[in-house]
Amino acid sequence: MNKKDTEKFKKLLLAEATQLEEELSGIGKKDPSAPGGWDVTASDMKVDTADDNEVADRFGELEENTGIANKLEGQLQEVKSALERIEKGTYGLCEKCAKPIEIGRLEANPSARISIKHGH
Ligand SMILES: [Zn+2]
């Protein structure tokens, strides 16, 4: 991969990381005790804890947000690790065969680790 392509994917990855962090900050806050981890918070509406339905709603929301946050965290990890590969000069190489990953595949998913042949 030439330098121009690498720069292009780096920009895409940085934009994706920013977007993922924005989405995560909408449902939680950074967990200071776990790097890369996020604490999920339910929305700040006042909950009447005497009202069972409201408490159940709140738990439902928290559970749903935790699922979303886990997915976003996973994506963010992939993006960060792709950025690390750019720094190391191994970006765009298949982890199974060490051959360059198809540009089209990287355009669809800039954090892809595996070529089309070896992916699923
Ligand atoms: Zn491969």
Side-chain angles (χ1 to χ4, degrees):
M1 184 176 298
N2 63 38
K3 209 169 175 232
K4 209 175 137 220
D5 280 337
T6 311
E7 282 301 310
K8 179 179 86 177
F9 286 116
K10 188 175 175 177
K11 266 188 204 157
L12 286 172
L13 287 160
L14 286 172
E16 203 181 332
T18 307
Q19 201 203 326
L20 288 166
E21 291 206 336
E22 264 171 34
E23 283 178 45
L24 275 163
S25 62
I27 51 173
K29 57 180 177 2
K30 270 185 183 162
D31 181 352
S33 63
W38 288 72
D39 273 337
V40 174
T41 49
S43 56
D44 280 333
M45 57 177 185
K46 242 186 160 197
V47 172
D48 179 358
T49 46
D51 184 333
D52 285 345
N53 284 332
E54 220 169 287
V55 173
D57 276 359
R58 181 89 169 204
F59 273 115
E61 187 192 349
L62 206 54
E63 204 172 276
E64 199 185 309
N65 283 351
T66 303
I68 297 169
N70 285 341
K71 197 166 152 252
L72 293 172
E73 262 180 43
Q75 286 172 345
L76 190 55
Q77 291 293 337
E78 283 301 303
V79 170
K80 286 191 169 164
S81 116
L83 284 164
E84 277 168 22
R85 293 199 295 281
I86 287 182
E87 297 309 318
K88 282 194 283 191
T90 58
Y91 177 75
L93 299 177
C94 173
E95 287 186 352
K96 296 232 165 123
C97 63
K99 288 190 177 132
I101 299 172
E102 298 80 358
I103 289 285
R105 178 171 173 87
L106 289 170
E107 274 166 353
N109 175 19
S111 50
R113 295 166 176 271
I114 296 168
S115 64
I116 291 173
K117 198 176 153 194
H118 292 107
H120 32 162

